[in-house]
Amino acid sequence: METSQSIDPCMPPSTAGHPPRPEYGALPAVPALWDLVTVPARQGLEAVDILRRGAGDAVGPVLHDGGCDTLGFLVPPGTAAGWDVPGSTCTETDGRGFTLPPLPPVEGSGWLLPPGEADLATDPAVLRAALGEAARMIEAADSCR
């Protein structure tokens, strides 16, 4: 498994052993490949707001892990190889396909944007821009204190 950047992800991409829950709607019938971009929750929440204000459905499923205070964005496979956004980590699935789970893959985490309510994956270029904008907003807000 290859990981890039500075913080360790709190959410491994493993999703085995979770029973379906009907409130999350239909799931993909075949395994899919994902990489996982993990960011601090504050920056991630800002980025989700930015993405949701943009044109179209720009954001895919997003995990929130309260224990580590991070958000995880599902992105297309191969994203980790070129991911270079400071303060974030992108972990690849190592070619292991998994079905998008109705329950979060890690106990204590939850879906901020569950499968079925979001696109299948967040476009990495769009996510990179949103994370950059979010970081600038946070920096500006913090410098006003």
Side-chain angles (χ1 to χ4, degrees):
M1 181 181 336
E2 181 177 312
T3 300
S4 61
Q5 280 314 94
S6 59
I7 61 173
D8 290 330
C10 294
M11 299 159 291
S14 169
T15 61
H18 297 285
R21 286 181 42 187
E23 64 266 29
Y24 291 122
L27 299 174
V30 295
L33 296 176
W34 309 101
D35 285 356
L36 182 69
V37 172
T38 308
V39 298
R42 184 175 179 201
Q43 183 181 12
L45 290 170
E46 289 287 345
V48 167
D49 285 344
I50 292 164
L51 292 167
R52 293 188 93 182
R53 285 192 312 256
D57 298 322
V59 62
V62 179
L63 285 165
H64 181 269
D65 183 358
C68 289
D69 205 25
T70 61
L71 288 186
F73 293 82
L74 294 181
V75 293
T79 300
W83 192 256
D84 61 354
V85 177
S88 68
T89 300
C90 189
T91 304
E92 64 182 30
T93 60
D94 240 358
R96 295 182 310 259
F98 64 88
T99 302
L100 200 55
L103 295 177
V106 175
E107 184 143 348
S109 67
W111 287 111
L112 179 66
L113 295 176
E117 290 183 19
D119 283 348
L120 294 180
T122 300
D123 180 300
V126 174
L127 178 58
R128 182 184 316 270
L131 290 172
E133 184 177 339
R136 290 187 295 277
M137 291 172 62
I138 291 168
E139 184 177 343
D142 288 350
S143 69
C144 292
R145 292 182 183 179

